[in-house]
Amino acid sequence: MNNIFRRAGAQTWSVRFHIPRDRRSDVGKAYGTKGGHKADVVKTLSTTDRKEAMGRRPKALEAIRAEIDAKLQAIGLAPLDGGWQPDWAFTWDDEEKAVSEGLAARREIAKAADREDQAEEFYTATADGSMLSATIRISPRDRKESHNASVHRQHFIAVPCTLRRL
């Protein structure tokens, strides 16, 4: 459902915010409705163009939700979402949290970057008589990666190396 519609006889598009069934009586109290419950909130998007209305819809729905939450909190009730936020969501509004997570990431990068590769360098002659330098990394981690690659491929052993012409 797009949540947008045109009222009968109107040219402009409107948006409808549906209130969850279990919170309709709370929202009705917050808005002071006669019947004591409210099922939806409708606002105009002030445009006759459907494409533009679809673009305005997310901000309009968020503004309606903020209005409802403010009215609920004004009478001492929890907001519609109950203040829940998923663990993976990160808001940049909390500057201290952003800085602490950035510093933690920097420490992790620094730990990973301290390892020096152990390497052996040797020279071989090419067919045209020039010398070719090859560096083979021999750190335990690189040997393990090479072993894992060879086990998966079974046909050749992949040794991480760097070749340079001299």
Side-chain angles (χ1 to χ4, degrees):
M1 178 186 292
N2 291 331
N3 297 71
I4 66 169
F5 65 98
R6 281 193 226 175
R7 294 180 188 251
Q11 295 296 314
T12 59
W13 289 91
S14 296
V15 65
R16 175 178 284 127
F17 183 91
H18 297 277
I19 298 168
R21 287 184 191 272
D22 61 333
R23 299 300 306 272
R24 289 179 180 175
S25 61
D26 292 342
V27 175
K29 287 178 197 171
Y31 275 83
T33 59
K34 281 184 185 178
H37 93 293
K38 190 165 182 70
D40 59 8
V41 175
V42 176
K43 301 280 184 174
T44 182
L45 293 172
S46 302
T47 183
T48 58
D49 182 29
R50 185 178 194 285
K51 190 174 181 179
E52 190 174 339
M54 287 298 288
R56 292 179 180 183
R57 179 177 61 108
K59 286 185 180 179
L61 290 171
E62 186 57 37
I64 293 170
R65 176 183 285 278
E67 175 187 310
I68 293 170
D69 286 346
K71 287 186 180 268
L72 286 169
Q73 289 172 340
I75 64 168
L77 296 173
L80 286 179
D81 62 4
W84 180 82
Q85 186 174 16
D87 295 340
W88 48 264
F90 179 78
T91 59
W92 289 100
D93 299 337
D94 187 2
E95 188 175 336
E96 287 182 27
K97 183 177 178 183
V99 169
S100 67
E101 287 193 14
L103 291 173
R106 178 181 277 179
R107 284 190 294 273
E108 287 295 318
I109 290 169
K111 271 196 267 183
D114 284 346
R115 180 182 69 86
E116 285 188 33
D117 283 342
Q118 299 170 2
E120 286 184 14
E121 189 168 27
F122 62 94
Y123 299 94
T124 58
T126 62
D128 63 356
S130 64
M131 295 296 288
L132 189 64
S133 167
T135 305
I136 298 179
R137 292 190 269 310
I138 57 170
S139 70
R141 182 177 134 197
D142 289 336
R143 283 196 308 266
K144 186 173 186 177
E145 287 175 5
S146 295
H147 175 72
N148 289 342
S150 67
V151 168
H152 290 294
R153 294 188 184 117
Q154 295 294 320
H155 298 292
F156 62 94
I157 298 174
V159 176
C161 67
T162 305
L163 298 176
R164 294 185 309 227
R165 272 213 188 267
L166 297 175

